[in-house]
Amino acid sequence: MNLIFLGPPGSGKGTQAIRIAEKFGLVHLSTGDLLREAVKAKTELGQQAEGFMSRGDLVPDDLIIGLIEEIVDSGELANGFILDGFPRTIKQAESLQEMLSRHSIKTDHVILLKVSDAVIAERIKGRAKAEGRSDDTQKIVLNRLAVYVEQTEPIVEFYRNESLIKEIEGEAAPEEVFERIVSAVS
Ligand code: AMP
């Protein structure tokens, strides 16, 4: 099974992606995690990405598409995957479709976690405190939300046209949201 997880920052996307990957034995690929590791390791990618990330902006498409292309071409995703945090722009979605079809890989479902802005703001504030994440200060949170609305939300329509979108109400308790996702993909 091949899944894409979509949702605003603070929607619980990362947490649910990890749990669903574990339940179904899928590779969990978080571009945010990959980028944070690259920044920590001070790789070239990390150095290029760091400024964008600290402002809450997206890193340029070319950087992230190259990264995903290497992973797709490596065959690492052949036994099922969850993409968490990618694609985030129409250009990324189109590139992904091209890469996957080159390998005859189909996306089965795109899980869209729906959460109101007020709940997102509360959750992200809590996470910033708990993790001390420098990209989660209030001003940057607002920018991340704006970036999501402007650049990422349009891909919902892209996948709706492919009849892949499964909308999940994400404000319930994590266990309940998990069960909803499981039934949506089963
Ligand atoms: P995340 O943990 O998914 O919220 O990602 C953290 C940060 O990494 C984002 O705010 C972006 O700066 C960057 N990032 C992660 N995934 C992507 C992507 N697909 N395209 C561009 N930037 C990304």
Side-chain angles (χ1 to χ4, degrees), residues 88-106:
R88 257 184 161 96
T89 64
I90 291 280
K91 170 124 189 275
Q92 292 179 17
E94 288 171 348
S95 303
L96 176 66
Q97 213 161 35
E98 224 174 82
M99 290 174 219
L100 294 179
S101 68
R102 224 185 317 124
H103 291 270
S104 306
I105 300 172
K106 262 187 49 197

Side-chain angles (χ1 to χ4, degrees), residues 13 31-32 35-36 52-53 57-59 64 85-86 88 92 133 135 144:
K13 178 169 57 76
T31 44
L35 289 169
R36 277 184 290 276
F52 297 100
M53 293 174 74
D57 289 328
L58 296 183
V59 308
I64 197 83
F86 182 93
R88 257 184 161 96
Q92 292 179 17
R133 275 177 57 157
D135 63 338
R144 278 158 59 84

Side-chain angles (χ1 to χ4, degrees), residues 16 123 170-178:
Q16 295 294 342
R123 285 186 182 175
E171 287 189 15
E175 189 55 36
E176 171 66 26
V177 176
F178 174 75

Side-chain angles (χ1 to χ4, degrees), residues 11 113-120 123 168-174 177 180:
S11 62
L113 286 175
K114 306 212 58 162
V115 177
S116 69
D117 285 356
V119 169
I120 291 166
R123 285 186 182 175
I168 308 286
E169 286 300 331
E171 287 189 15
V177 176
R180 288 178 190 168

